[in-house]
Amino acid sequence: MHSVTCRCLLISAPASGQGKTTVTCALARQAKRAGLRVRVFKTGPDFLDPMILEQACDAPVYQLDLWMVGRNGCRALLHQAADEADLILIEGVMGLYDGEPSSADLAAEFGVPVLAVIDGAAMAQSFGAVAVGLAGYRDGLQLHGVVANRVGSPGHAAMLKNSLPSDIHWLGALPGKSDYALPERHLGLVQPQEIKDLDTRINAAADALGDAVDFDAIPMSRFPAPAPREIEPLLANRRIGVARDAAHAFIYPANLDCLRRLGAELVFFSPLTDTQLPQVDALYLPGGYPELHAAQLAANSEMQAAIRAHHAAGKPILAECGGMMSLFERLVDTKGNEHKMIGLLPGEVTMHEDLQAIAMQAWHSAHGALRGHTFHHSSIRTPLKPASHAQNPAGTHGEAIFIKNSLTASYMHFYFDSNPTAIAEIFHGYSISADCR
């Protein structure tokens, strides 16, 4: 494999809430209109932003994270995208320099220039000072340009543009009053299938950005070939049922790729609407919004019985966050309403208005570290003792890992490709022979 080049921008900001997703969507839609092949990535663990970005670029959106995905994993994804696309857009996470590793670390690692989205609503010439500060805060980072968000008028936009030094490109402005704002709820953006006019909103954002973007002026980045990596087909001849619907939508595309590379055949089903399980050897119940669909999940007694029978037969189940929540006896929503869940795990889950946990996580399994993250607004009350606990990157106590016979459940969202062998072990029901370890 050889190095490849591609025009690339990492879209970041001074802080969260500046409009990174909207701007990334607008750029992706503009590029597609120009006939460019576009690939979009999201920095850090996130499920909702990638769903919106996928709508804008009409291609799967993968995660890039130096800790969770790893340097070689990121290199492999970028190398493949650069080999296929004319333009790569990477939406950052939080502010440019926030977190360890940060979006700036990712940009510096792969030599990707940065586009800063700056909320200019209450600024004039200080807009330029913020841009200069972002550009000069650390060596080895190239700030290609800026987009101003929430501007009050064309005159205000001109004032912000004129505040920039000549070496920072102006890539346009979005008005403060708009018809393309993306709705949010407690875990982030609303899922795209719930936004009936999402394409209209994305098109409006692309139109509002105007013709300030010169795609030919975006610098080329060079992406070297990743180190070769082979995955044994430890899940060959196994069929895995993957829950996928409005209540179970938090699935990394890379996780599905990993299962397929391990040799598994994937069969999708809906715990919301299906009454029977497909004929499968194992189940993957990913996270999502079970609390928004608790009444419908509780009413589907046939599916609940089918999942209980699957477990009783000794077949493996991996349940992450929302998928795990549906396996307890009860789910209590924020209004105090109780909903009867599947009951494989004793106890109840209670929803809260406030965030209960957010962190990167690593579970040190028998096959090494399996990485991922946690982000939830609920808490558990159960007599079941955890089999082990994940750890945060600093080594502090993380989420409980519950193992009940062939069931593995946790609030932790696993990034499968961080340890395919550990994932294969879970979907084999912890029966991989010693010579495969």
Side-chain angles (χ1 to χ4, degrees):
M1 297 176 71
H2 55 283
S3 295
V4 290
T5 59
C6 186
R7 301 190 190 282
C8 187
L9 281 178
L10 186 143
I11 296 88
S12 192
S16 296
Q18 304 274 296
K20 297 189 299 291
T21 303
T22 299
V23 170
T24 305
C25 284
L27 289 170
R29 186 56 56 88
Q30 279 198 346
K32 282 187 64 67
R33 288 175 179 175
L36 300 177
R37 298 169 298 168
V38 187
R39 285 293 308 276
V40 181
F41 292 92
K42 171 62 182 176
T43 307
D46 195 310
F47 297 105
L48 292 163
D49 287 4
M51 294 180 192
I52 303 293
L53 296 169
E54 183 173 327
Q55 186 90 1
C57 68
D58 197 28
V61 174
Y62 287 71
Q63 280 62 39
L64 295 175
D65 185 89
L66 293 174
W67 187 84
M68 186 177 76
V69 179
R71 281 172 171 76
N72 197 58
C74 292
R75 184 177 294 112
L77 290 168
L78 287 167
H79 183 273
Q80 180 182 3
D83 204 31
E84 301 169 349
D86 303 305
L87 175 68
I88 296 173
L89 300 174
I90 305 168
E91 184 191 339
V93 61
M94 301 183 291
L96 178 58
Y97 295 102
D98 297 331
E100 294 181 3
S102 65
S103 296
D105 292 328
L106 183 74
E109 176 74 22
F110 297 105
V112 174
V114 173
L115 168 65
V117 180
I118 303 175
D119 185 342
M123 279 197 281
Q125 285 78 12
S126 295
F127 182 89
V130 173
V132 170
L134 291 173
Y137 185 75
R138 66 175 280 182
D139 294 332
L141 199 71
Q142 177 188 358
L143 183 67
H144 173 71
V146 297
V147 166
N149 196 14
R150 304 185 181 105
V151 301
S153 66
H156 183 206
M159 188 184 301
L160 301 178
K161 179 180 179 180
N162 292 334
S163 73
L164 297 171
S166 59
D167 59 340
I168 297 180
H169 294 75
W170 173 262
L171 275 73
L174 295 177
K177 294 182 179 180
S178 67
D179 54 0
Y180 48 75
L182 300 172
E184 300 185 30
R185 61 162 61 101
H186 58 279
L187 292 181
L189 296 175
V190 171
Q191 296 182 83
Q193 64 267 28
E194 300 176 63
I195 309 173
K196 303 306 181 185
D197 62 344
L198 179 56
D199 255 333
T200 301
R201 293 178 188 232
I202 294 172
N203 284 329
D207 293 341
L209 203 55
D211 58 2
V213 180
D214 180 0
F215 289 109
D216 290 335
I218 295 173
M220 288 282 188
S221 297
R222 179 173 296 277
F223 300 104
R229 183 187 182 204
E230 300 221 355
I231 296 181
E232 292 183 71
L234 298 174
L235 293 176
N237 302 317
R238 291 186 73 80
R239 302 181 86 225
I240 297 176
V242 181
R244 186 165 66 177
D245 55 27
H248 305 82
F250 294 176
I251 307 173
Y252 292 128
N255 281 7
L256 303 182
D257 291 350
C258 181
L259 291 175
R260 292 185 179 108
R261 286 200 304 274
L262 283 164
E265 176 188 352
L266 305 185
V267 184
F268 297 95
F269 72 100
S270 170
L272 279 174
T273 59
D274 293 338
T275 57
Q276 295 181 341
L277 286 175
Q279 294 294 318
V280 293
D281 302 298
L283 291 179
Y284 175 28
L285 306 178
Y289 283 114
E291 66 273 20
L292 300 181
H293 306 275
Q296 187 176 349
L297 289 169
N300 194 348
S301 57
E302 295 93 341
M303 176 55 72
Q304 289 189 346
I307 292 175
R308 286 193 296 269
H310 176 96
H311 182 252
K315 294 182 177 181
I317 302 174
L318 173 60
E320 299 174 340
C321 201
M324 176 187 70
M325 291 165 61
S326 68
L327 295 183
F328 281 92
E329 294 171 304
R330 295 173 302 280
L331 190 156
V332 182
D333 63 28
T334 53
K335 296 180 180 180
N337 301 314
E338 289 192 5
H339 304 273
K340 184 179 179 182
M341 295 289 102
I342 295 171
L344 288 182
L345 297 171
E348 67 182 21
V349 178
T350 301
M351 291 300 303
H352 305 279
E353 297 289 350
D354 297 330
L355 185 65
Q356 300 298 295
I358 179 171
M360 290 294 198
Q361 301 273 285
W363 178 30
H364 295 280
S365 73
H367 299 280
L370 177 58
R371 294 186 170 187
H373 80 285
T374 182
F375 181 39
H376 56 92
H377 278 250
S378 65
S379 62
I380 296 169
R381 187 171 63 184
T382 178
L384 187 64
K385 300 299 182 184
S388 61
H389 283 84
Q391 290 183 332
N392 297 324
T396 56
H397 210 52
E399 295 291 359
I401 309 292
F402 297 104
I403 298 177
K404 183 181 178 184
N405 300 324
S406 58
L407 166 64
T408 304
S410 178
Y411 270 124
M412 182 178 169
H413 296 272
F414 297 120
Y415 187 78
F416 291 3
D417 214 36
S418 67
N419 195 326
T421 304
I423 288 299
E425 172 109 327
I426 291 172
F427 284 110
H428 264 289
Y430 301 96
S431 62
I432 294 179
S433 60
D435 61 350
C436 291
R437 297 185 181 184

